[in-house]
Amino acid sequence: TAEAGWQTVRVDEGATAQLQLVKPAASQLRGVVRENGLPLAGARITFLKGAGSDGLAGDLAEIMAGFDPGGGGGGRSPRTADDGSYKLRDLPEGSHRLRVPATGRSMPAVVAIELRGPDNTFDVELDVTTVRGLVRGADGAPLAGATVRVAPVRSGSAVEAEAMGVVEDMVPGGLDLFGGGGGGKAAKTDDSGRFELRGVQGGARLQVRASAKG
């Protein structure tokens, strides 16, 4: 039996055969990104193919989705206009996701989308969920100048989770150097050891990572 995407062609000496190539139907997606109900300008919209996968490979793919050495702006990674609107072209139908990092937010939002037919509309509503806390050193005293980041709790083994933590500690700043928008904004503790992480993913299990010299 012929597999999907393959065609059977009979070859005879001196004969001509015709092969028909059919391009899958493409979808486009448009909408508006809002933060606390207000249009959000300049946010990058990155298309993530598929509904998501567990494990280290899927997590790495999601983090690196924001890496765009050329600055982007193309069909699958545009920035929102002044009115918060965006448009994505030439997308496959099915279940996928959008990744939305934005300036000042501690982590990008990842939302599920369903594409059916040529035209689709989906508005992204971001709230400003905030995590606040206090970092103490080994002696129990408040620790000033510590770097604090937040990320989703990773599925899989403890070894994979630790490996992802190392990547996340290295990647966000590196992505910013290349104009990729970064994975999120880290916070620094103040003189009293307190921090605030603004714009975290609501309704998700999160891991807060703090690091400091020594």
Side-chain angles (χ1 to χ4, degrees), residues 54 190 212:
D54 292 332
D190 60 18

Side-chain angles (χ1 to χ4, degrees), residues 97-181:
R97 294 159 296 150
L98 296 180
R99 183 179 188 271
V100 188
T103 302
R105 296 183 66 87
S106 295
M107 61 188 302
V110 178
V111 295
I113 58 171
E114 193 75 22
L115 301 181
R116 292 286 181 266
D119 295 303
N120 299 266
T121 301
F122 184 83
D123 293 341
V124 180
E125 304 289 344
L126 305 176
D127 58 21
V128 188
T129 303
T130 301
V131 173
R132 299 182 180 91
L134 174 67
V135 177
R136 299 181 185 273
D139 59 358
L143 194 60
T147 300
V148 186
R149 292 192 178 95
V150 64
V153 173
R154 302 292 177 183
S155 60
S157 69
V159 174
E160 288 184 345
E162 182 61 27
M164 287 306 304
V166 172
V167 171
E168 286 164 342
D169 284 345
M170 295 186 303
V171 167
L175 290 182
D176 286 340
L177 292 176
F178 291 96

Side-chain angles (χ1 to χ4, degrees), residues 34-58:
R34 300 181 181 89
E35 185 180 58
N36 268 4
L38 300 176
L40 185 62
R44 185 177 298 282
I45 307 293
T46 300
F47 175 78
L48 300 176
K49 187 176 181 180
S53 59
D54 292 332
L56 184 60

Side-chain angles (χ1 to χ4, degrees), residues 38-99:
L38 300 176
L40 185 62
R44 185 177 298 282
I45 307 293
T46 300
F47 175 78
L48 300 176
K49 187 176 181 180
S53 59
D54 292 332
L56 184 60
D59 291 337
L60 281 171
E62 183 172 308
I63 288 178
M64 296 308 294
F67 181 64
D68 185 5
R76 292 199 181 188
S77 191
R79 291 189 183 273
T80 55
D82 291 342
D83 61 356
S85 63
Y86 72 92
K87 184 177 180 179
L88 298 167
R89 306 180 301 273
D90 298 325
L91 305 178
E93 291 190 346
S95 300
H96 306 289
R97 294 159 296 150
L98 296 180
R99 183 179 188 271

